[in-house]
Amino acid sequence: MSEPYTKLTTPVFRVSFPAVFTPETDDKGNKFYGVTALFDTKDRAQLAEMSAAVESALITKFGADKTKWPRDLKLPFSDGNVKYNKNQQAYPMYKDQIVVKLKSQMQPGICNAARTAEITDPKEFYAGCYARAT
Protein backbone atom coordinates (compact mmCIF):
# COMPACT_ATOMS: atom_id res chain seq x y z
CA MET A 1 0.00 0.00 0.00
CA SER A 2 1.44 3.37 -0.97
CA GLU A 3 1.57 6.23 1.47
CA PRO A 4 -0.74 9.22 0.93
CA TYR A 5 0.82 12.21 -0.74
CA THR A 6 -0.04 15.73 -1.73
CA LYS A 7 0.36 16.69 -5.38
CA LEU A 8 1.17 20.35 -5.87
CA THR A 9 2.86 22.63 -8.35
CA THR A 10 5.70 24.85 -7.21
CA PRO A 11 5.98 28.53 -7.92
CA VAL A 12 8.50 29.44 -10.63
CA PHE A 13 12.09 28.83 -9.53
CA ARG A 14 15.59 29.07 -10.94
CA VAL A 15 17.14 25.69 -11.71
CA SER A 16 20.44 24.73 -10.10
CA PHE A 17 22.29 21.40 -10.32
CA PRO A 18 19.77 19.60 -12.56
CA ALA A 19 19.99 15.81 -12.73
CA VAL A 20 16.89 15.12 -14.79
CA PHE A 21 18.24 13.30 -17.83
CA THR A 22 20.85 11.13 -16.07
CA PRO A 23 20.48 10.04 -12.45
CA GLU A 24 22.98 10.87 -9.74
CA THR A 25 24.07 8.54 -6.96
CA ASP A 26 23.94 9.49 -3.29
CA ASP A 27 26.52 8.48 -0.68
CA LYS A 28 24.55 5.28 0.04
CA GLY A 29 24.61 4.17 -3.60
CA ASN A 30 20.95 5.03 -4.32
CA LYS A 31 20.23 6.52 -7.74
CA PHE A 32 17.98 9.58 -7.95
CA TYR A 33 16.87 12.31 -10.29
CA GLY A 34 16.55 15.82 -9.01
CA VAL A 35 17.04 19.51 -9.17
CA THR A 36 17.92 22.21 -6.70
CA ALA A 37 15.20 24.88 -6.86
CA LEU A 38 16.11 28.46 -5.97
CA PHE A 39 13.24 30.66 -4.78
CA ASP A 40 13.74 34.35 -4.00
CA THR A 41 13.30 35.03 -0.26
CA LYS A 42 10.70 37.70 -1.05
CA ASP A 43 8.50 34.90 -2.49
CA ARG A 44 8.40 33.06 0.85
CA ALA A 45 4.59 33.30 1.09
CA GLN A 46 4.26 31.39 -2.19
CA LEU A 47 6.04 28.44 -0.57
CA ALA A 48 3.41 28.03 2.17
CA GLU A 49 1.68 25.15 0.33
CA MET A 50 4.98 23.30 -0.09
CA SER A 51 5.87 23.84 3.57
CA ALA A 52 2.48 22.54 4.66
CA ALA A 53 2.88 19.43 2.48
CA VAL A 54 6.31 18.70 3.99
CA GLU A 55 4.99 19.14 7.53
CA SER A 56 1.99 16.92 6.79
CA ALA A 57 4.26 14.17 5.43
CA LEU A 58 6.49 14.38 8.51
CA ILE A 59 3.52 14.18 10.87
CA THR A 60 2.19 11.18 8.94
CA LYS A 61 5.55 9.41 9.16
CA PHE A 62 6.78 10.42 12.64
CA GLY A 63 3.70 11.68 14.52
CA ALA A 64 2.70 15.15 15.71
CA ASP A 65 5.21 15.31 18.59
CA LYS A 66 8.23 16.99 16.97
CA THR A 67 10.47 16.01 19.91
CA LYS A 68 10.18 12.40 18.68
CA TRP A 69 11.30 13.23 15.14
CA PRO A 70 14.84 12.15 14.17
CA ARG A 71 17.42 14.73 15.19
CA ASP A 72 19.38 14.33 11.94
CA LEU A 73 16.29 14.80 9.75
CA LYS A 74 17.18 16.59 6.49
CA LEU A 75 14.42 18.98 5.47
CA PRO A 76 14.16 20.10 1.83
CA PHE A 77 14.21 23.84 2.62
CA SER A 78 17.39 25.71 3.48
CA ASP A 79 18.60 29.30 3.66
CA GLY A 80 20.80 30.01 0.66
CA ASN A 81 22.64 32.78 2.53
CA VAL A 82 24.22 30.18 4.83
CA LYS A 83 25.91 28.41 1.93
CA TYR A 84 26.62 31.71 0.15
CA ASN A 85 28.33 33.14 3.23
CA LYS A 86 30.52 30.03 3.60
CA ASN A 87 31.88 30.26 0.07
CA GLN A 88 30.77 33.29 -1.96
CA GLN A 89 32.76 32.30 -5.03
CA ALA A 90 31.23 28.83 -5.32
CA TYR A 91 27.58 29.72 -4.63
CA PRO A 92 26.82 33.33 -5.65
CA MET A 93 23.44 32.22 -7.03
CA TYR A 94 22.29 31.18 -3.52
CA LYS A 95 22.40 34.72 -2.07
CA ASP A 96 18.94 35.79 -0.82
CA GLN A 97 17.41 32.50 -2.02
CA ILE A 98 15.44 29.72 -0.39
CA VAL A 99 17.04 26.50 -1.57
CA VAL A 100 14.81 23.46 -2.01
CA LYS A 101 16.10 20.02 -3.00
CA LEU A 102 13.61 18.17 -5.21
CA LYS A 103 14.40 14.46 -5.69
CA SER A 104 12.75 11.37 -7.14
CA GLN A 105 13.71 7.80 -7.89
CA MET A 106 11.71 8.08 -11.12
CA GLN A 107 12.91 10.14 -14.07
CA PRO A 108 10.77 13.26 -14.35
CA GLY A 109 8.96 14.25 -17.50
CA ILE A 110 9.94 17.71 -18.70
CA CYS A 111 7.86 19.87 -21.01
CA ASN A 112 8.03 23.36 -22.46
CA ALA A 113 6.28 26.33 -20.83
CA ALA A 114 3.17 25.90 -22.98
CA ARG A 115 3.09 22.18 -22.04
CA THR A 116 2.81 21.26 -25.71
CA ALA A 117 6.13 19.46 -26.23
CA GLU A 118 8.39 17.21 -24.21
CA ILE A 119 11.95 18.40 -23.61
CA THR A 120 14.51 15.66 -24.22
CA ASP A 121 17.55 17.79 -25.07
CA PRO A 122 19.72 18.82 -22.09
CA LYS A 123 20.48 22.07 -23.94
CA GLU A 124 16.85 23.09 -23.37
CA PHE A 125 16.75 22.41 -19.62
CA TYR A 126 19.87 23.58 -17.79
CA ALA A 127 21.17 25.28 -14.66
CA GLY A 128 20.02 28.87 -14.71
CA CYS A 129 16.77 28.38 -16.58
CA TYR A 130 13.42 28.94 -14.90
CA ALA A 131 10.95 26.14 -14.24
CA ARG A 132 8.04 24.82 -12.21
CA ALA A 133 7.75 21.34 -10.80
CA THR A 134 4.80 19.12 -9.94
Side-chain angles (χ1 to χ4, degrees):
M1 184 172 157
S2 65
E3 293 188 29
Y5 67 93
T6 300
K7 184 175 180 177
L8 55 91
T9 301
T10 69
V12 174
F13 60 87
R14 189 143 197 196
V15 173
S16 182
F17 299 106
V20 294
F21 298 105
T22 305
E24 290 189 355
T25 305
D26 65 17
D27 54 354
K28 295 178 182 174
N30 301 314
K31 292 190 182 281
F32 69 91
Y33 294 89
V35 66
T36 299
L38 304 178
F39 297 94
D40 194 299
T41 53
K42 66 183 173 199
D43 297 332
R44 188 177 304 272
Q46 293 182 354
L47 300 177
E49 187 178 7
M50 288 174 61
S51 295
V54 168
E55 180 138 354
S56 175
L58 291 169
I59 289 170
T60 298
K61 184 163 182 126
F62 301 116
D65 185 356
K66 292 182 180 182
T67 63
K68 294 182 180 178
W69 292 4
R71 293 187 189 271
D72 61 348
L73 188 63
K74 289 184 180 180
L75 296 175
F77 297 93
S78 63
D79 180 352
N81 286 330
V82 172
K83 197 162 199 173
Y84 169 78
N85 288 331
K86 285 182 182 177
N87 189 344
Q88 294 178 11
Q89 292 178 342
Y91 298 100
M93 72 292 258
Y94 283 23
K95 185 173 191 222
D96 298 329
Q97 302 295 302
I98 297 168
V99 180
V100 181
K101 301 278 188 171
L102 305 173
K103 293 182 181 181
S104 175
Q105 292 177 340
M106 298 182 303
Q107 184 173 11
I110 303 171
C111 62
N112 64 9
R115 297 192 295 196
T116 57
E118 184 177 1
I119 294 176
T120 58
D121 183 353
K123 292 177 185 170
E124 295 182 46
F125 189 85
Y126 51 88
C129 73
Y130 288 87
R132 295 180 84 159
T134 302

